[in-house]
Amino acid sequence: MMKDFLCLSDWSLADLEKMFALAKELKAKQKAGEAHKLLEGQTLGMLFEKSSTRTRVSFEVGMFQLGGHALFLSSGNTQMGRGEPIKDTARVMGRYCDGIMIRTYSQAAVEEFAEYCDAPVINGLTDMYHPCQIMADLMTVQEHKEDYRNLKYCWIGDGNNMANSWINAAAIFGFELRVATPKGYEADAAVIARAEKAGAKLIFTNDPKEAAAGADVLNTDVWASMGQEEEQAEREKAFVGFQINSELVKMAAADCVVMHCLPAHRDEEITDEVIEGPNSIIFDEAENRLHVQKAIMASLMAK
């Protein structure tokens, strides 16, 4: 098993499915009030360069439930914020902590940190990938659809870190993925090329309706991610027609599910009606961040 959890494509299908099984087990124990202190006495260092709600709370609560302790560190309040090299911080934190979770902008920074850190490193989000979110998404689909592999998935919106991660997942799990983005907002070309080389079933289009037709899973994210706020007005124009609304949901399979990694700009990339509607599994998806990340931490850190 790998030491770090930086990108979904680093992992084998077998190991990821073991994590899903563990996540399901840990969720059942938590719901039943049964102790599951697999990381008793251990510490997770959490480095945040980007603001967070779900990532911070789910990792911190998860470590507590596993019997360990989570330590919150904002990059602006560490020596990294004053110019200390990543490799120096990584060497030191790897000696203090049993695991590290990083939520930042640069994928290269996370990979450099992992290279020099003796403790396992988990990617809590970068501009390139969001692997923990994809794991939670797939766990949620599995709960609602049983066999999550033989489905038609649809991504509508920006070709961002979530789109890249869905493309990685399609290559690993073998499901069909349709990606609808406006021209000029496509997913990363290298990620696409690697997935296609691995035999991923990918369909790319600039027409959201084409992507949504008959789909089992509809998924989207904000049009302007953190760090892109100055592009908001420009993106709103480019993304006209890319909203997941009741009309688009009707084009999908009758029993389709709708997901969003949150936070959502209601009535922008997705309507309030859909978020609160019968097809939405968005808040189950948010909850499962807790359970799947506990499985990831336990898989990497349990002695």
Side-chain angles (χ1 to χ4, degrees), residues 84-255:
E84 180 175 56
I86 291 172
K87 61 185 179 183
D88 291 358
T89 300
R91 286 186 176 114
V92 173
M93 287 193 67
R95 298 185 185 205
Y96 292 156
C97 302
D98 301 286
I100 309 292
M101 187 282 298
I102 305 178
R103 181 178 172 91
T104 187
Y105 292 91
S106 168
Q107 180 71 18
V110 172
E111 292 174 358
E112 182 182 354
F113 198 102
E115 180 183 352
Y116 289 94
C117 183
D118 289 336
V121 176
I122 299 169
N123 178 1
L125 174 142
T126 65
D127 285 346
M128 181 62 74
Y129 301 121
H130 199 353
C132 292
Q133 181 67 56
I134 291 295
M135 291 291 285
D137 291 357
L138 289 171
M139 177 181 176
T140 311
V141 173
Q142 185 177 17
E143 289 176 341
H144 286 266
K145 293 287 190 181
E146 295 185 9
D147 188 352
Y148 59 99
R149 290 165 295 192
N150 299 320
L151 300 173
K152 295 180 176 66
Y153 291 73
C154 175
W155 176 262
I156 295 174
D158 190 23
N160 61 10
N161 52 4
M162 284 298 299
N164 291 338
S165 297
W166 272 110
I167 291 166
N168 284 340
I172 297 166
F173 294 96
F175 53 73
E176 178 183 307
L177 175 66
R178 306 162 181 181
V179 181
T181 60
K183 291 180 180 178
Y185 293 91
E186 293 84 3
D188 185 84
V191 172
I192 294 170
R194 183 177 64 221
E196 289 179 336
K197 185 177 180 180
K201 303 170 189 174
L202 302 173
I203 299 170
F204 296 97
T205 179
N206 302 121
D207 183 355
K209 294 178 180 179
E210 178 185 346
D216 301 294
V217 180
L218 300 178
N219 207 334
T220 192
D221 191 7
V222 294
W223 292 339
S225 299
M226 281 179 284
Q228 299 173 332
E229 289 80 5
E230 73 284 354
E231 301 175 25
Q232 180 69 31
E234 177 185 343
R235 283 172 172 262
E236 284 179 10
K237 294 178 183 177
F239 283 79
V240 169
F242 282 80
Q243 181 187 75
I244 293 186
N245 50 36
S246 57
E247 178 187 353
L248 206 66
V249 172
K250 288 176 183 175
M251 295 179 181
D255 61 347

Side-chain angles (χ1 to χ4, degrees), residues 289-303:
R289 286 288 301 279
L290 170 66
H291 306 299
V292 82
Q293 286 164 188
K294 284 163 66 176
I296 293 168
M297 290 188 288
S299 298
L300 296 179
M301 297 168 60
K303 298 293 190 277

